[in-house]
Amino acid sequence: MSFPWAEQYRPKHPFMRWMDDRLPLPRLVYNSVGGGYPVPRNLNHFWNFGVLAGLALVIQIVTGIVLAMHYNANADTAFASTEHIMRNVNSGWFLRYLHANGASFFFVVTYIHIFRGLYYGSYKAPREMVWMLGLVIFLLMMATAFMGYVLPWGQMSFWGAKVITGLFGAIPVIGEPIQTWLVGGYAPDQATLTRFFSLHYLLPFVIAGVIILHIWALHIPGSGNPTGVDVKTPQDTVPFHPYYTAKDGFGAGLALVFLAILVFFLPNYLGHADNYIPANPLSTPAHIVPEWYFWPFYAILRAFTVDFILPAKLWGVLAMFSSILLLFFLPWLDKSPVRSGSYRPRFRQFFWILCVDVVVLGYCGGSPAEEPFVMVSQVATIYYFAHFLIILPILSMVEKTLPLPASISESVLHGEEAEAAPLGDATPAKA
Amino acid sequence: MAAVELNEGAAPAADGEHGVRRRDFINIAAVSAAGVGGVALLYPLITQMNPSADVLALAQIDVDVSAIETGQAIKTTWRKQPIFIRHLTAAEIAAANAVDTGSLRDPQTLAERTKEGKPQWLITLGVCTHLGCVPLGAAEGENRGDFGGYFCPCHGSHYDTAARIRKGPAPRNLEVPDYEFLSDTAVRIG
């Protein structure tokens, strides 16, 4: 693992030496996030977001365990027990708002983490496994967040559960039996609530397990970097501790400020007022949308309105799942040998168009299912798939990339701009 | 801050070894702030396990004792714990007052355990001070132990007619809760 010049763990205290011979846990920590893990010296703040996602998971698990001490997974009392947490339990309002907004925080940092990977080509060899494990984490996160949103058993919880499990009903022949099996009945009820609570408690620990694999896979080749150039010499790296513990600590401090603003000043900004109405199986809220982090996918789901060979409903569901499953093939769709978008001028333009496209999809997904949003989401959906299936494969064949720096340390010393300029018109390094 | 910078600029080599550098200050300040923040975060995580507002709201009950005949006792609940309200007979009061308090494990007189002018009303928690079982003796026909008060069947603690521990492993007398008589027959516990 890692580079030959990595610092060795040498415990000085006799007890630590005794421990190291029996259970080398301190050695594992030292080699993973301590002085023993050499990291490219040129990481920018976009490399903070993996650690931030880990922090978000810790916040969710800690607040979640505490909330589960007061929550009641019973269709008759779930809503009341949520209000009990808000009104009666000491600091309950804080813990619940932290958990609810913590989910949004988790998705914000994870989306930035994913788009960091898309821009800097973090999915490319030799980090394909890192990328794919990350997507598994992302899928698990979505399942966990969805089931967590059902637990308060408000109107949005109930109808969210009904709509999302209804997606499985689109599968031909076996769809409806699967849907009935998922909810344990013909509509979400006690059985649904209890199993969702059980799984909502379980999955975060599964996520934690996959994160360990994600980091393990990452530490085989080591972290990428903004130039996308491989680490070559000891000059290219600095030890994770203290350099990146300090940088991540700073980033975590800033991120927690944003989370605190949400929790203390805008705790319901990202929620829906309808979810403060107890679940009513006889009345659907007028405007039913999922949480914001599902909006782009929800827009893709609703973009299919016409039966074409297959029913429109099935097309929507297939497209929605494909939009994520597609990303598993990304390392083989984008075959450009240059990793970083900083040295791929055309790719960079399309990358930003994709970002706008996803934001547009998100906006449409959060809007009512009427014109012009339906048409806009159809166009945006087409572009989303075209980006990955057509544009990236073609780009990787025809794009003229910029010359890469000879090494990370050279790029740092000469400034990225000078290094990124095409050969010939490079202005000499300024200082 | 300015002084530290000046210091750094003026004598970098000499002070670098022994003096406090600006970076040391930033490091200690940042880590301390994070530490204090982390500890502060423990407060809600711990206090959430304390009794919640709805539990505390049950901490006061009113009881009408007019129906309790002399020699009878009733059980009621307060904070989800049994409360014994016992209407002592004159003989029981006399028996309680006859005891030399100096010989008791937890010396208290009956007067100290009842309200002034109402020595016949003995109000205690029905929770054995040994390990928390409910002693017998409040209901008709139950074993009242060797001293005619209460008897805890779990580990054999005997309480007398003032609910004082007389024999067995319990360390203290049955606890007397805070209460007051609103009238001759209405008691507010808590």
Side-chain angles (χ1 to χ4, degrees):
Chain A
M1 212 194 264
S2 196
F3 305 106
W5 58 84
E7 284 290 325
Q8 287 300 305
Y9 176 65
R10 284 192 193 84
K12 284 188 201 74
H13 195 278
F15 172 74
M16 297 306 279
R17 278 204 294 273
W18 183 89
M19 191 63 156
D20 192 46
D21 291 337
R22 286 155 181 82
L23 179 71
L25 186 62
R27 175 180 292 273
L28 180 70
V29 172
Y30 183 86
N31 289 336
S32 308
V33 291
Y37 179 49
V39 186
R41 63 195 303 164
N42 58 337
L43 301 192
N44 58 36
H45 272 294
F46 284 107
W47 265 260
N48 279 15
F49 287 87
V51 164
L52 290 180
L55 175 68
L57 180 70
V58 170
I59 292 175
Q60 291 305 87
I61 289 181
V62 169
T63 53
I65 286 173
V66 161
L67 288 171
M69 295 182 189
H70 304 282
Y71 171 76
N72 211 332
N74 179 301
D76 295 326
T77 53
F79 186 87
S81 72
T82 309
E83 285 307 300
H84 162 73
I85 290 169
M86 295 300 289
R87 291 153 195 264
N88 293 333
V89 174
N90 298 297
S91 300
W93 61 272
F94 169 66
L95 296 164
R96 176 165 176 257
Y97 278 152
L98 188 57
H99 195 71
N101 289 288
S104 286
F105 176 75
F106 201 170
F107 275 97
V108 170
V109 297
T110 302
Y111 278 128
I112 295 174
H113 190 58
I114 291 173
F115 276 88
R116 193 286 317 270
L118 286 174
Y119 181 84
Y120 290 108
S122 306
Y123 47 84
K124 292 188 182 189
R127 297 185 184 82
E128 302 97 320
M129 277 309 289
V130 185
W131 174 254
M132 291 193 286
L133 287 165
L135 289 172
V136 170
I137 295 170
F138 181 49
L139 288 170
L140 287 168
M141 272 175 68
M142 294 208 284
T144 311
F146 158 65
M147 287 190 275
Y149 195 58
V150 173
L151 300 184
W153 213 239
Q155 274 289 66
M156 282 300 190
S157 302
F158 181 88
W159 291 98
K162 185 138 187 176
V163 169
I164 300 296
T165 54
L167 297 178
F168 294 89
I171 305 167
V173 191
I174 54 164
E176 282 197 27
I178 285 182
Q179 186 188 351
T180 312
W181 173 77
L182 277 175
V183 299
Y186 303 99
D189 199 357
Q190 180 60 50
T192 322
L193 185 58
T194 347
R195 69 188 57 178
F196 278 15
F197 180 57
S198 168
L199 294 173
H200 182 72
Y201 207 119
L202 165 72
L203 288 186
F205 298 98
V206 178
I207 292 176
V210 184
I211 284 176
I212 289 172
L213 299 183
H214 187 63
I215 295 173
W216 186 10
L218 170 71
H219 284 201
I220 300 299
S223 303
N225 71 86
T227 65
V229 175
D230 283 327
V231 167
K232 294 185 176 96
T233 60
Q235 281 76 44
D236 292 343
T237 65
V238 288
F240 189 89
H241 180 75
Y243 291 94
Y244 286 109
T245 42
K247 189 161 182 156
D248 285 334
F250 175 72
L254 269 186
L256 288 174
V257 169
F258 285 109
L259 177 60
I261 290 172
L262 259 188
V263 169
F264 291 111
F265 298 101
L266 302 159
N268 288 304
Y269 179 71
L270 297 169
H272 301 286
D274 274 311
N275 219 27
Y276 284 100
I277 303 170
N280 178 357
L282 301 180
S283 147
T284 311
H287 178 206
I288 175 150
V289 287
E291 292 285 83
W292 68 268
Y293 35 79
F294 293 135
W295 285 353
F297 308 103
Y298 199 57
I300 292 175
L301 171 77
R302 294 193 305 188
F304 292 82
T305 51
V306 182
D307 290 356
F308 172 72
I309 305 175
L310 298 173
K313 182 180 175 184
L314 182 55
W315 275 116
V317 173
L318 287 177
M320 190 184 72
F321 284 111
S322 313
S323 64
I324 297 168
L325 297 181
L326 175 70
L327 297 175
F328 280 92
F329 299 94
L330 184 55
W332 297 276
L333 289 169
D334 175 10
K335 300 194 92 123
S336 171
V338 175
R339 293 195 187 100
S340 170
S342 299
Y343 303 93
R344 301 182 62 189
R346 285 278 165 271
F347 168 86
R348 193 157 63 217
Q349 290 165 349
F350 284 109
F351 170 82
W352 287 114
I353 296 175
L354 177 74
C355 289
V356 172
D357 185 65
V358 172
V359 171
V360 167
L361 276 173
Y363 187 81
C364 292
S367 303
E370 54 197 40
E371 295 300 347
F373 303 117
V374 176
M375 218 246 298
V376 173
S377 38
Q378 287 168 340
V379 173
T381 301
I382 291 170
Y383 185 82
Y384 180 90
F385 284 97
H387 176 88
F388 291 104
L389 294 174
I390 302 170
I391 294 172
L392 281 188
I394 293 178
L395 262 189
S396 54
M397 284 187 283
V398 302
E399 186 178 24
K400 186 173 179 297
T401 57
L402 301 179
L404 293 169
S407 73
I408 291 171
S409 50
E410 198 170 299
S411 135
V412 173
L413 293 176
H414 294 242
E416 246 181 274
E417 221 166 292
E419 282 302 330
L423 275 178
D425 40 281
T427 40
K430 277 167 198 115
Chain B
M1 207 48 104
V4 178
E5 271 169 30
L6 222 163
N7 195 353
E8 210 173 49
D15 254 26
E17 292 284 325
H18 305 292
V20 177
R21 294 174 309 156
R22 184 173 132 103
R23 178 168 290 190
D24 293 330
F25 171 77
I26 293 173
N27 186 9
I28 292 168
V31 173
S32 309
V36 170
V39 171
L41 201 60
L42 287 178
Y43 174 75
L45 293 175
I46 292 167
T47 190
Q48 54 88 17
M49 286 171 78
N50 276 323
S52 56
D54 59 320
V55 172
L56 295 176
L58 298 177
Q60 202 171 54
I61 57 162
D62 288 338
V63 187
D64 178 9
V65 297
S66 59
I68 308 171
E69 300 287 337
T70 310
Q72 272 191 336
I74 63 160
K75 273 190 218 176
T76 181
T77 56
W78 174 64
R79 290 182 180 174
K80 301 260 163 163
Q81 300 199 92
I83 287 275
F84 294 159
I85 302 178
R86 184 152 168 175
H87 195 165
L88 298 175
T89 62
E92 284 170 336
I93 294 172
N97 286 333
V99 178
D100 170 21
T101 50
S103 69
L104 295 174
R105 184 178 298 166
D106 184 7
Q108 265 186 324
T109 62
L110 178 66
E112 286 167 347
R113 294 173 58 74
T114 54
K115 294 290 174 194
E116 205 179 327
K118 298 192 185 300
Q120 75 273 33
W121 293 110
L122 177 67
I123 301 180
T124 60
L125 283 186
V127 180
C128 181
T129 55
H130 179 221
L131 291 170
C133 295
V134 180
L136 300 173
E140 204 84 36
E142 282 181 355
N143 184 355
R144 292 189 161 183
D146 296 352
F147 300 90
Y150 300 106
F151 170 68
C152 183
C154 291
H155 307 97
S157 290
H158 299 254
Y159 296 89
D160 66 12
T161 54
R164 294 174 297 202
I165 179 67
R166 296 293 287 276
K167 193 173 130 188
R172 280 171 291 107
N173 303 333
L174 287 188
E175 192 185 331
V176 177
D178 283 338
Y179 68 92
E180 56 177 336
F181 278 90
L182 300 176
S183 71
D184 275 350
T185 57
V187 186
R188 171 166 292 170
I189 296 171

